[in-house]
Amino acid sequence: MLTNKEQIKSYAIFVRSSYGDLLLTDPLIKYIKRLNTNNKITLFVEDKNFQLVEFMENINSFYKIPSRGNKYLFFIFYGLKYRKNKYDVSIAAKTGVGSANGFFPYMLGAKKQISYVSKTKTWTDRLVNFPITYSEEIYHSQHYALGILQLLDSKLTKIPNYLYPKLISRVKPNKNSKPKLLISISNTRNSCLLNNKSIASIINKLSKEFQFDIYISALKSDYDKAINLKKKIIQDSIIKLTPLLKDYIKLIDSMDICFFGEGGSMHMAAALGVPQVVLFGFTSSTTWAPLSNTATVLNDKSNVNNIPKNQILEALKEKLKNIEVSASIN
């Protein structure tokens, strides 16, 4: 059991890449705070995902690093700039290897620099003073967030529920009599996108048994696709364009159910405690499933359009039934 007897330390956590990667460092952050609630945590994130930080808990400070341009020049500039903070521990929070893992923490100059390194030890790997040799088995056999946690505690074999990611809610509870269902039609992974015809077929059947409000989330570039889906759905629906990430998070937070293809959205919904049905295509659900007790994951390795529509329908029905039961109790 963790105690709060460890000496107070300052941690610099370096997270590049996507929203999901950033959110899945939250178990590590919680773990550090459980070691000592007074530990100080600073995040170094890319400018493309920094908007997420304002919704995260336990962060004492954060700094943005540009995501475009010469990354080594940025690492040198920002590493030397914030070296004056004299961090006790730096962690390259990535379940995997890469030159950035060693180079930026080295420039930052923390006393203890923790990172996964390759078996062959590249020149940037050799800059890490507390290296952990990485194996591809880590990535393929367990959850991504567990691999990040194991940077501090190699004995962990699963992620306890109390370490699951959580985002701060900024939306008042829904007092509407009807549940709100959010459908997202924007996704960079084509194998995780269900076609509009299938979505409409499922939602139209669902609306014959349940009453709910429908919201369609789309990027501006997918607006025509959203219009097309709206026309196919018999029930009236509302299209929501959210160019700012913070507005998208608030939209998810206002929902009772989310229906997504896998990606960063599912991790946000999980961290907000919103029940969801998530479709996985080529991406491994073992590695990337949302850390949630109210998420249903369905998958087909080739394409989500191969998942039986009735299976998806039943999963959504189950979520709506749970809402009805909860409403009757309250």
Side-chain angles (χ1 to χ4, degrees), residues 235-248:
Q235 183 179 329
D236 191 28
S237 59
I238 300 172
I239 295 175
K240 290 285 187 177
L241 300 180
T242 50
L244 296 178
L245 176 63
K246 63 181 181 180
D247 293 329
Y248 184 52

Side-chain angles (χ1 to χ4, degrees), residues 90-92 96 98 101-102 105 113-117 125 128 130-133 151:
S90 68
I91 303 173
N101 286 13
Q113 301 156 27
I114 304 172
S115 171
Y116 283 118
V117 299
D125 289 338
V128 181
F130 282 84
I132 300 173
T133 302
L151 285 163

